Amino acid sequence: MTRLLFVRHGQSEANLEGVFAGQIDPALTELGYRQAECTAEFIARTYTVDGIYSSDLQRAYHTGLAVSEKLGLPITTDQGLREIFAGDWEGRKFDELAAEHSPAYVQWHQDIGNAKCPGGETVAELADRIYRTVRRIAEANEGKTVVLALHATPIRTVEWTASGKELSHMQQIPWVTNASVSEFTYENGVLTPVKISQDEHLGT
């Protein structure tokens, strides 16, 4: 069994500005860096960690780096942990997208599991990419505890995969909060949730 700690990145400039980031590369805000430090302290006092992995996008990387520096462990980047490729939506404000009332954006809000970003990935494709990456990391770290610093939509797909339900169920899964920690176990191909969106350490 492998213990997996999925850490959503701290607040990014895109979060602050209401922008659909996807795979563009905004930095963390000052608050985001403080959140990352708080999360690193929480992980250090709560878990014994053996390895740290991160999306190569800087908002996730710098969140994982705070954990890396706190624990004195190296961090490995992996493009497989990136946020969804949002295609035509990348870098656009959510308010602007909502005002267009496009069927694709309506579906993103009403049935995210079956949604597709125009010119980008479907959420089902993202879920497959994330599961394959997580499985590879988990199986390379059998019996260990690893941190994975990544993004909100990928973590939502992890929760969906663990549920074993159809894609439409993803709509019932809430977004995790910035800099939260979601604990899962992985064994024999199966992901099992333990604690989701732990964020009490942030004082929220």
Side-chain angles (χ1 to χ4, degrees), residues 39-152:
T39 296
E41 291 173 4
F42 168 73
I43 289 173
R45 68 174 179 264
T46 308
Y47 299 98
T48 300
V49 173
D50 302 291
I52 303 169
Y53 294 79
S54 172
S55 159
D56 63 334
L57 298 175
Q58 64 172 328
R59 58 194 186 275
Y61 176 76
H62 285 289
T63 301
L65 186 62
V67 182
S68 169
E69 292 174 346
K70 181 72 176 179
L71 300 180
L73 293 171
I75 183 170
T76 302
T77 58
D78 194 315
Q79 289 187 3
L81 297 173
R82 282 185 171 194
E83 180 58 281
I84 193 168
F85 174 50
D88 299 343
W89 291 346
E90 297 212 336
R92 296 195 60 195
K93 287 186 175 293
F94 290 111
D95 288 349
E96 295 174 356
L97 292 170
E100 293 176 356
H101 301 291
S102 72
Y105 195 67
V106 170
Q107 186 170 39
W108 175 267
H109 283 280
Q110 296 183 356
D111 183 15
I112 190 170
N114 289 296
K116 174 180 173 60
C117 300
E121 287 181 294
T122 65
V123 175
E125 288 168 341
L126 169 69
D128 179 67
R129 166 165 63 83
I130 292 297
Y131 176 72
R132 286 186 287 106
T133 304
V134 168
R135 180 179 61 192
R136 170 168 47 80
I137 291 171
E139 292 178 355
N141 290 276
E142 171 65 29
K144 299 179 180 179
T145 296
V146 295
V147 169
L148 299 92
L150 67 175
H151 309 267

Side-chain angles (χ1 to χ4, degrees), residues 7-17 27-40 59 62-63 66 177-180 199 201-204:
V7 178
R8 184 186 175 188
H9 62 78
Q11 184 192 65
S12 70
E13 292 173 351
N15 294 147
L16 185 63
E17 296 166 4
L28 293 177
T29 63
E30 289 186 14
L31 173 59
Y33 279 107
R34 292 197 300 271
Q35 290 173 330
E37 293 294 339
C38 289
T39 296
R59 58 194 186 275
H62 285 289
T63 301
T177 52
N178 285 112
S180 63
D199 60 6
H201 56 278
L202 301 173
T204 55

